[in-house]
Amino acid sequence: LGADMIDSGDTAWILTSTALVLFMTMPGLALFYAGLVRSRNILSVLMHCSAICCGASLLWFICAYSLAFADGTGLVGGLDKACLSGVERDAVFPGTAIPESVFFSFQMTFAIITPALIVGAYVERIKFGAVRLFSALWLLVVYAPVAHWVWGGGWLADLGVKDFAGGIVVHVTAGVSALVIAAILGSRSGFPEQTEPPHAPWMVMVGAAMLWVGWFGFNAGSALAAGADAGMALLVTHLSAATASLVWLVIEWARFGKPSLVGLVTGTIAGLATVTPASGFIGPIGGVILGLAGGVICYLAVDIVKRSFRVDDSLDVLAVHGVGGDTGTLLTAVLIVPALSGVGLDEGVSMGDQFVAQLIGVAAALVWSAVATFVIVKLAQALVGLRVNEEEEVEGLDYTAHGETGYRL
């Protein structure tokens, strides 16, 4: 019976999307972050992303998937699907025409990239053991419950919160958590006056290009079917990324007299993060509007975090992902309307009602992520320690932590 309900076209698209989203982390995000750090820390960043990918995959199988998507309370799922217990080969995920094994794998790639995003907040100064412990606990305590709230039938889903592909679940949780761990960990030596520029801007661009391509699977794949919603999600994702890239370029050009490659592709990521929660609900004009909003607001947020907050969120996780996710989530309530080629609000729901629901969703994820991350970081600090010593930081984590070097100079 299950096999008869499976649609081969939908299944093929979500299989492809799964590969695309994994491509975002390995190698896209890994190269994007690796190019932004100093040359003596390139391998440590690649190691963080690789190790998180492996650890998150196994945790997702053991229990995190069940906590996110199995039946449970409004706050967290149960353990009925731990280790995929009871999930038959031809089982179809409810509400779709794809095998649950494919849905599991697609969502696993989201669980991989979300803690990997936080890597950008603590590069060049954290112990590898702390990365492993923090990422594992964070996936279980922050990511899985929030995914359940929004996508697994939890209390935010009941409230009518709309998050098509992870503005709240991925970007708000990662962005807020990044700020917390960066604040507790402390700044890199010399921050902000003497921080060194990215050692390989070309690598940053290559990583960003991979993220851009992979994001089509991230957003369009979240339709969970090969249809009109997937097609429009892909289109608005591209428009937002292109628009935000140009916005960032223009601002830098006007401010400094020279547009930078790193700035351009940082704008790309800001546009992609901002459109993510709205991507399946809006039309092309909405994509351009979100690109404009994400480019301007995320650019301003970079300065606010580093200059006003004086927190060394090294690779701007909060400013780009957190603020972008917030912006897109809130503007979904406005841009969803049919007048802008959106899918329209649910029956009986006003724009104001939807905006309040979106605001509650953002606030809930923000508060939970901040509090839980604080506790997890303090626990990791007590068990394995957080920060490398000054000598190790100066020499670089590639050699001191992993016994390798990225370059033979």
Side-chain angles (χ1 to χ4, degrees), residues 8-291:
S8 59
D10 290 349
T11 301
W13 168 235
I14 306 307
L15 285 168
T16 303
S17 296
T18 299
L20 285 169
V21 182
L22 184 61
F23 184 69
M24 291 172 68
T25 305
M26 303 283 290
L29 184 71
L31 291 175
F32 181 76
Y33 279 172
L36 287 168
V37 299
R38 290 169 287 194
S39 59
R40 56 186 178 273
N41 291 305
I42 177 176
L43 297 184
S44 70
V45 173
L46 298 177
M47 185 70 164
H48 293 167
C49 291
S50 300
I52 287 171
C53 174
C54 299
S57 300
L58 289 177
L59 277 177
W60 192 245
F61 171 68
I62 293 166
C63 65
Y65 171 72
S66 191
L67 293 173
F69 289 103
D71 292 335
T73 68
L75 296 176
V76 70
L79 293 174
D80 295 347
K81 294 185 178 181
C83 297
L84 287 179
S85 174
V87 177
E88 300 295 332
R89 177 181 292 266
D90 60 354
V92 176
F93 187 78
T96 75
I98 62 174
E100 185 159 4
S101 61
V102 176
F103 178 81
F104 167 93
S105 299
F106 179 65
Q107 289 296 336
M108 178 177 64
T109 60
F110 282 62
I112 288 168
I113 198 169
T114 309
L117 290 175
I118 305 174
V119 168
Y122 53 64
V123 292
E124 304 192 299
R125 63 201 189 276
I126 194 170
K127 291 184 175 181
F128 183 63
V131 174
R132 302 298 306 119
L133 181 59
F134 168 80
S135 299
L137 293 176
W138 190 89
L139 182 69
L140 297 175
V141 177
V142 178
Y143 182 83
V146 176
H148 181 76
W149 297 354
V150 179
W151 295 334
W155 70 280
L156 289 181
D158 292 340
L159 196 64
V161 172
K162 293 187 180 297
D163 182 4
F164 192 75
I168 295 173
V169 178
V170 175
H171 296 292
V172 172
T173 58
V176 172
S177 299
L179 182 71
V180 172
I181 190 170
I184 297 174
L185 186 60
S187 303
R188 290 167 293 175
S189 178
F191 173 87
E193 290 81 10
Q194 299 176 359
T195 51
E196 297 179 25
H199 91 279
W202 68 268
M203 189 182 296
V204 179
M205 185 274 167
V206 170
M210 293 174 176
L211 283 164
W212 193 336
V213 172
W215 224 291
F216 292 147
F218 198 86
N219 287 357
S222 292
L224 299 178
D229 286 343
M232 186 59 75
L234 188 151
L235 173 58
V236 301
T237 296
H238 188 76
L239 290 174
S240 181
T243 303
S245 302
L246 294 176
V247 167
W248 207 289
L249 180 152
V250 169
I251 294 173
E252 275 200 342
W253 205 343
R255 185 178 179 187
F256 302 114
K258 294 180 180 179
S260 72
L261 177 62
V262 169
L264 173 71
V265 298
T266 301
T268 303
I269 306 306
L272 292 166
T274 303
V275 77
T276 290
S279 53
F281 305 128
I282 63 173
I285 296 298
V288 173
I289 291 171
L290 286 177

